[in-house]
Amino acid sequence: MNRTVILIFCVFLSSIVSAAEQRIALVIGNAKYLEFGMLANPVNDARSVNQALKDLGYSTRLVIDADESTMRREVKRFAASSKGVDVALVYYAGHGSQVKGENYLLPVDLDVPKVETDIQLSSIKVDDVINSMGSRVK
């Protein structure tokens, strides 16, 4: 992700939240896929966004190259910590997929799917992440 995009992203975020608000973020960068090869940018993008969010006053949790169990555990932790906060934000860089109109975040240990249900059962559904967040703004 280039610096201009990150700067625009940061200016946008800072314009919608005040300094007095409690803000948290889960930042995931998946690049070392066991079956799909290595991606060049997700880890650097995640680290850059994580730092930008910290600079804006967010309490962040950075997760790099998460397998399925790690992603599920981190999403659960984040959901629990989002209860009652003003703003909760999730940033994800890595492979994703869409199955029957639903979007999924792919963990690094996902086997090459043979059928669509392989993705549904072994990935993280984006709507589930959003619906699990208990913040005022998602």
Side-chain angles (χ1 to χ4, degrees):
M1 181 179 293
N2 71 41
R3 293 182 194 273
T4 304
V5 172
I6 291 172
L7 178 61
I8 291 168
F9 176 72
C10 292
V11 170
F12 170 74
L13 285 177
S14 64
S15 69
I16 63 170
V17 296
S18 74
E21 290 181 318
Q22 186 180 7
R23 298 170 275 181
I24 64 170
L26 174 62
V27 179
I28 302 171
N30 281 350
K32 291 183 182 176
Y33 286 88
L34 301 177
E35 299 288 332
F36 304 112
M38 177 83 167
L39 295 176
N41 297 320
V43 172
N44 291 335
D45 292 350
R47 287 189 173 126
S48 295
V49 167
N50 187 66
Q51 186 58 55
L53 290 169
K54 282 183 173 185
D55 293 346
L56 289 170
Y58 279 76
S59 173
T60 67
R61 172 80 174 135
L62 176 62
V63 180
I64 301 297
D65 293 325
D67 60 19
E68 181 184 357
S69 65
T70 301
M71 284 182 72
R72 290 189 187 286
R73 182 179 63 248
E74 292 298 334
V75 167
K76 285 179 187 178
R77 282 183 185 165
F78 184 71
S81 66
S82 73
K83 304 293 186 245
V85 302
D86 296 299
V87 179
L89 181 144
V90 174
Y91 175 86
Y92 175 79
H95 281 307
S97 184
Q98 187 177 74
V99 177
K100 297 179 182 172
E102 299 288 345
N103 296 306
Y104 294 86
L105 311 177
L106 305 185
V108 296
D109 62 341
L110 179 72
D111 291 329
V112 174
K114 294 173 183 54
V115 294
E116 288 180 335
T117 55
D118 291 344
I119 293 171
Q120 293 171 306
L121 295 173
S122 299
S123 301
I124 307 298
K125 188 174 173 182
V126 172
D127 283 348
D128 290 344
V129 175
I130 294 168
N131 292 332
S132 73
M133 294 162 51
S135 61
R136 185 175 53 81
V137 176
K138 302 174 184 183

